[in-house]
Structure formats: structure tokens, C-alpha cells
Amino acid sequence: MASSSGTSSGGSSSLMLQNSGSEESLQALMDQRKRKRMISNRESARRSRMRKQKHLDDLMAQVAQLRKDNHQIITSINIATQHYMNIESENSVLRAQLGELTHRLHSLNEIISFLDASNNNDDDENNGGAAAAIFEATSMINEPAFDNFMNPLNLSYLNQPIMASADMFHQY
């Protein structure tokens, strides 16, 4: 029995040595796998950081380009607005000139109507027509100011330039 217990104890210690050796190799294998996994994880994290950095760089470049485009659009809008304001001012000046010229034309047409009516009356009376109208017009120069208003030779107030500028209309 002793021998059997010795053998069994001897077999048990050799099995233990074998188990101990296989546990060590198993532990070494697990450590090796753990190191590989750790290295793989580090490499994966490095690649992830690189991708994230590249994505961030791409987004920053896109932001810079969009800001540049936005600045160009704002500049174009400002130029177009200024051009619009200039055109609007010119249109206002032209409208004012149109109104004044229309008023002048109306006044001149009234003067012509008055002279035609005056000539018709003179033609009937004197048969001198145009000569009488010219004589009457020149004789009116020496008359008081209120009579000179209708004198066609004294219409210098109608020959005044139209004074309007684009600056006048910027306040509206």
C-alpha cells in the first residue's frame, strides 16, 4: 500500500508539475493574448483618433470655405444694394424732372393758346396779325411786373435749370 500510495503520490506530484507547467503556459498564453489585445486596442484607438482628427480638419476647411463664400455673397449683396439705391435715386431725380418739365410744357401750351387767341383777335381788328403780336409783346416789356408775367419774351423764369440731386432723396 505504501508503494501504491507512493506511486500515487509520485504520480500526483508529476501531474501537479504538469498542471503547474500547463497553468504557466496557459497564463503565459493569456498574457500574450492580453498584450496582443492591448496593442490591437491601442492601434485601433490611434486609428480612431486619426480619423477623428481628419474629420475635424475637413470640417474646419469646410467652415473656412463657407465663411469665404458667405463673405463673397454679403459683398455681392452690398454692391447690388448700393447699385439699387443709386438707380432709385436717379429714378427719383428723373421723376422730379419729368414733373417739372410736364408743368413747364403745360405752362408753355397755355401761353401759346393765349397768344393764338390774342393773334386771332388782332387779325380780325388790324389784319396785321404777327406784326401786331410782336409789337404788343415788345411793348409789354415796359409794363409793370404783374403784366410781364404773361409776356412770352419775359419767360426767363422758365429757363432756369432743374436743381435736383440724388442726395436729396436718400433721406426718404
Side-chain angles (χ1 to χ4, degrees), residues 118-119 121-123 125-139:
S118 176
N119 284 341
N121 287 340
D122 287 342
D123 283 344
E125 292 174 6
N126 299 337
N127 288 333
I134 292 173
F135 176 75
E136 182 181 331
T138 55
S139 66

Side-chain angles (χ1 to χ4, degrees), residues 19-67:
N19 283 343
S20 172
S22 74
E23 281 181 19
E24 286 177 7
S25 66
L26 185 60
Q27 185 65 32
L29 183 64
M30 286 174 58
D31 286 345
Q32 185 181 9
R33 284 182 182 169
K34 190 176 180 181
R35 275 193 304 271
K36 280 184 177 179
R37 200 172 338 116
M38 197 169 21
I39 291 170
S40 173
N41 285 348
R42 285 180 183 164
E43 185 62 29
S44 176
R46 186 183 67 79
R47 286 191 307 265
S48 176
R49 284 191 303 272
M50 287 176 63
R51 277 193 310 271
K52 191 184 277 188
Q53 185 63 43
K54 184 182 181 315
H55 184 64
L56 182 63
D57 292 343
D58 291 345
L59 288 176
M60 293 300 288
Q62 187 178 8
V63 165
Q65 181 62 40
L66 289 173
R67 282 187 177 156

Side-chain angles (χ1 to χ4, degrees), residues 1-14:
M1 293 223 165
S3 70
S4 84
S5 107
T7 13
S8 83
S9 137
S12 163
S13 71
S14 94

